[in-house]
Amino acid sequence: MKNISRRAVSAGLAATALAPFARSASAQAAYPGGRAIKAVVPFAAGGATDVIGRIIADRMQAKWNTSVVVENVSGGGANIGMDRVAKGPADGSQILVVAPQIAINQYLYAKLAYDPEKDLMPIAQVANVPNILVVRKDLPVNSVQELIAYAKANPGKLNYASSGNGTTVHLSAELFKRMAGVDIKHIPYRGSAPAVNDLLAGQVDLMFDNATSIIGQVRGGTVKALAITTSKPFSQLPDLPPVAQTVPGYDTVSWFGIVVRAGTPDAIAGTIEEAVRAAVQEPAVKERLAALIAEPVLSDRKSFADFIADERKKWGPLIADLNIRID
């Protein structure tokens, strides 16, 4: 047996002793490394953004075998929650569930405490929910074409309700007015529920409401649904034609996705992206989204970033032209 030097033995013992620590460090380096993750929803609990955020957070938690806690940080038209993540750690410990406000608010508010383009990084889109064009039950129109003809024959006499200035419900109607060349008065409400109540009572004539909010009235026959706002037919609402069949090029949608703070390392962003993409492909997730009249979207960082950029190009000029401002 050959002699083994004392130095070699010492080196071998040291390497053996350090091996578990090396393996531990390597394991901890893989995101999320067992730590709890916060999924920030910039709206109150119970709305579509919150419910969809919880669906995705649940699947992330299962995939990573770690805690993913949803935190509702509402207020300021989603600005408070978005600011929280924009100024938080860039390490993936906070993810943000976003809706169209990330592409709209910079045009609605004179000043934001964060820069949605520079401070937040898109990860992946999750789902789309169409708006539905509905009219009061006794309005003598039964199609988009008839509505446009009626509005042109009665300029300024029709009105529409919205859930508030700058919402997708409001902007969907304003885009329709511009593209169809009709004059319809806007009546903003504080939320969808009071707007729908006045529509049912006949106090307002029509509304472009989120499908999740209005589908009960549509199915119950208490309002007349004329069309959906997506450019193509929507699988869960096959009986409703797109507005675009009458107004070519018209296309609006309420959408939802995941972003993180800008500067988050590429490896972490990639891991989050992978988890989101895996989640939206699960049959159980598709089923849960279907209950919200939402379609899953298989997206990635680039396609979601491009989509948000296109949304800004769509809404920015319209908001500026209409001089819509929220103080």
Side-chain angles (χ1 to χ4, degrees):
M1 182 176 179
K2 295 182 179 179
N3 292 330
I4 302 175
S5 70
R6 182 178 297 177
R7 180 177 295 178
V9 171
S10 298
L13 291 173
T16 302
L18 289 173
F21 294 99
R23 287 193 297 270
S24 176
S26 175
Q28 290 178 1
Y31 175 85
R35 60 179 167 174
I37 307 299
K38 282 187 179 179
V40 175
V41 174
F43 296 97
T49 310
D50 175 67
V51 175
I52 290 172
R54 290 178 186 276
I55 291 172
I56 300 302
D58 176 68
R59 301 321 302 151
M60 285 180 166
Q61 181 166 285
K63 180 177 178 62
W64 291 335
N65 193 29
T66 193
S67 178
V68 181
V69 180
V70 173
E71 181 179 2
N72 295 93
V73 185
S74 60
N79 286 322
I80 295 175
M82 290 194 282
D83 182 61
R84 167 80 65 86
V85 176
K87 293 177 180 175
D91 59 2
S93 59
Q94 288 185 344
I95 62 174
L96 177 67
V97 186
V98 293
Q101 282 70 22
I102 193 175
I104 292 173
N105 282 6
Q106 67 197 84
Y107 307 108
L108 292 174
Y109 294 83
K111 186 178 181 180
L112 295 178
Y114 65 99
D115 186 329
E117 296 190 46
K118 295 180 179 179
D119 297 338
L120 296 170
M121 180 171 68
I123 294 294
Q125 194 174 350
V126 172
N128 286 334
V129 176
N131 292 326
I132 302 179
L133 168 56
V134 295
V135 301
R136 57 182 169 84
K137 197 171 180 181
D138 60 345
L139 193 70
V141 302
N142 294 292
S143 68
V144 176
Q145 185 174 6
E146 290 181 6
L147 174 63
I148 293 173
Y150 187 91
K152 288 184 175 180
N154 299 275
K157 293 184 179 180
L158 290 178
N159 56 42
Y160 78 89
S162 84
S163 53
N165 285 317
T167 61
T168 59
V169 172
H170 174 206
L171 296 177
S172 291
E174 289 298 330
L175 186 63
F176 174 78
K177 285 170 54 179
R178 171 164 294 194
M179 295 182 70
V182 293
D183 179 14
I184 304 175
K185 183 181 178 181
H186 176 215
I187 301 179
Y189 288 78
R190 289 184 176 273
S192 177
V196 171
N197 286 340
D198 273 6
L199 178 66
L200 296 176
Q203 300 300 311
V204 290
D205 299 308
L206 59 108
M207 186 176 182
F208 286 75
D209 200 14
N210 185 278
T212 304
S213 300
I214 199 68
I215 193 63
Q217 285 74 24
V218 170
R219 289 171 173 166
T222 55
V223 296
K224 285 193 288 188
L226 303 186
I228 53 172
T229 60
T230 49
S231 62
K232 298 178 181 179
F234 201 76
S235 62
Q236 296 178 50
L237 301 168
D239 296 332
L240 290 179
V243 171
Q245 287 186 5
T246 305
V247 184
Y250 182 87
D251 182 20
T252 73
V253 67
S254 293
W255 49 267
F256 307 88
I258 303 296
V259 307
V260 295
R261 179 175 176 175
T264 297
D266 184 72
I268 292 176
T271 300
I272 300 172
E273 177 188 321
E274 178 189 6
V276 175
R277 286 172 58 84
V280 299
Q281 295 179 81
E282 292 185 25
V285 169
K286 292 180 180 179
E287 184 177 342
R288 292 174 71 182
L289 290 175
L292 301 172
I293 319 298
E295 280 188 341
V297 176
L298 185 60
S299 174
D300 57 28
R301 281 175 277 176
K302 184 181 185 307
S303 62
F304 191 29
D306 290 344
F307 175 80
I308 293 175
D310 287 342
E311 287 286 283
R312 289 179 174 134
K313 291 175 185 176
K314 176 193 294 184
W315 299 122
L318 180 66
I319 292 169
D321 289 348
L322 296 173
N323 195 30
I324 303 171
R325 284 291 183 182
I326 299 177
D327 297 327

